[in-house]
Amino acid sequence: DYKCIRYLSRHIGVFKRKDGSFYALEVDCKHQNANLLIQPPKNHIAVCVRHGWKYDLKTGECLTESWAKLRKYPVKIEEDIVFVGNKVLDED
């Protein structure tokens, strides 16, 4: 389960793990900044629609270029509200 938000011209994916915890990653391809969640990921692997770069959305690792790791963001839950960095996202 995930939700994509846009903050300061960046796309951030907020993902819910099976245990109910959350994590957040940038989801803009490091090659040309395409949103990696335009197409739903399969088995936590996102493929960039522009040039096919692949990313593991569990770790943020780029499977195409080792230097192109996605940035992680802190997540905090308070009273059923998910906080990601400075952005507030209502929990559905």
Side-chain angles (χ1 to χ4, degrees):
D1 222 12
Y2 65 89
K3 189 173 238 181
C4 184
I5 59 174
R6 189 165 174 89
Y7 182 68
L8 296 177
S9 75
R10 305 296 296 169
H11 291 100
I12 300 171
V14 180
F15 300 88
K16 188 173 185 179
R17 295 182 183 102
K18 289 181 182 180
D19 69 2
S21 64
F22 292 86
Y23 67 99
L25 298 170
E26 71 176 309
V27 289
D28 288 321
C29 180
K30 294 294 190 171
H31 182 221
Q32 291 186 345
N33 295 322
N35 180 349
L36 296 170
L37 297 177
I38 289 174
Q39 295 179 348
K42 294 181 182 173
N43 297 321
H44 299 281
I45 303 298
V47 179
C48 178
V49 296
R50 290 193 182 156
H51 294 101
W53 284 25
K54 295 180 181 180
Y55 292 85
D56 183 330
L57 296 179
K58 283 186 174 181
T59 65
E61 298 290 329
C62 180
L63 305 175
T64 308
E65 295 288 335
S66 61
W67 61 267
K69 189 171 183 173
L70 300 173
R71 181 180 302 144
K72 296 178 182 178
Y73 293 93
V75 176
K76 183 170 78 170
I77 312 293
E78 287 184 11
E79 298 181 16
D80 296 329
I81 298 174
V82 179
F83 292 88
V84 178
N86 294 329
K87 181 72 178 176
V88 179
L89 177 68
D90 290 340
E91 183 179 58
D92 289 329

